[in-house]
Amino acid sequence: MADRFAPGDRVRTRTADPPGHTRLPRYARGVCGEIVGTCGRHPLADERAQGLDSAPRPVHQVRFRAADLFGPGEDGRDHAVVVELWEDYLEPADPEGDPR
Amino acid sequence: MSTTHDDGPLAARVRHVETLLEERGWLADGELDERIDAFAAGGSPANGAAIVARAWVDPGFRERLLADASTAIEELGMSMAAGLQVQPLVAVANTADEHHVVVCTLCSCYPVSLLGPSPTWYKSEAYRSRVVRDPRGVLREFGLELPDAVRITVWDASAETRYMVVPRRPEGTDGLSEQELAALVTRKGLIGTAAV
């Protein structure tokens, strides 16, 4: 099965707050970023934490602008934060269009 | 549990659980110590310093390191396979225009089997919560004042990959040997909270 996302895609992170363990940090929920790399396929940490079998799936490096995560900084300067996220946490930034 | 960690209720609780596991025969006497020793064996910031020094003197190695660090470090006899599971290693290199800094905002992920235990501040809530939001301010508190034009990228080790920073080679080090260069590299430099 083809991966849902590839480097260069614009994605939006999910907003839901799951009841158990997750590796989608709270500060990076519901935010748009760009996939800048892919780091292999790994079982989903959320499922492993519940003792469930979990099929390996792609994990992506998603680059966010700090202003999109935290709002404009006091000094007006921006930086970038790259977060490593399972594809389960991601949806296309533009759901109508093809992310490619 | 190490016998040097005999303080605090957490150690007592761990010791209690360890005893229960040993009584049931699920854990051999001393097995936990052996596992921890095996995991930590050879893990030291000296490994990271050797990797950086090689990248400084060998452009081909630097290229391979930045493309696939897990494979490149095998050239130095190192491996990311020493832990409970193989963790991919990614090396990110500072340049005149961009500075990298590593954090694990969710817990304290760090290439322990390669670089040894992480510093205490790396695991602190203050560092983990602030460096993603205000890296320039946090780095200034570490004594690292970056020029305004330098872009900062923070890497949050939120999944399976472990990260290390390749600092810029200091000026005036042309005459130094690879070993002498390695001696310049600090653990903070490998995390990105120091220039080297």
Side-chain angles (χ1 to χ4, degrees), chain B residues 46 51-52 67 139 156 191:
Chain B
I51 294 167
V52 169
L139 295 180
D156 187 350
I191 298 172

Side-chain angles (χ1 to χ4, degrees), chain B residues 124-190:
Chain B
S124 70
E125 275 193 23
Y127 177 74
R128 288 160 44 205
S129 57
R130 290 186 55 219
V131 78
V132 282
R133 181 182 281 266
D134 179 22
R136 210 170 283 271
V138 169
L139 295 180
R140 191 178 299 123
E141 291 172 28
F142 274 98
L144 179 58
E145 186 84 44
L146 292 172
D148 282 355
V150 174
R151 287 174 287 121
I152 300 178
T153 299
V154 183
W155 295 81
D156 187 350
S158 48
E160 307 297 348
T161 303
R162 300 296 176 261
Y163 293 90
M164 63 171 280
V165 174
V166 180
R168 297 174 68 199
R169 180 172 176 165
E171 291 178 12
T173 57
D174 288 354
L176 298 188
S177 70
E178 192 174 329
Q179 280 84 357
E180 288 168 329
L181 288 169
L184 301 176
V185 182
T186 68
R187 186 165 62 175
K188 283 183 187 162
L190 298 168

Side-chain angles (χ1 to χ4, degrees), chain A residues 26-69:
Chain A
R26 202 172 289 263
Y27 75 84
R29 291 184 190 166
V31 186
C32 288
E34 180 185 344
I35 294 181
V36 293
T38 296
C39 359
R41 310 169 78 88
H42 302 277
L44 181 64
D46 309 42
E47 292 176 351
R48 285 181 65 199
Q50 298 173 54
L52 302 172
D53 285 335
S54 181
R57 59 264 252 164
V59 179
H60 300 291
Q61 290 166 330
V62 184
R63 184 184 187 92
F64 300 97
R65 292 174 57 229
D68 291 338
L69 295 171

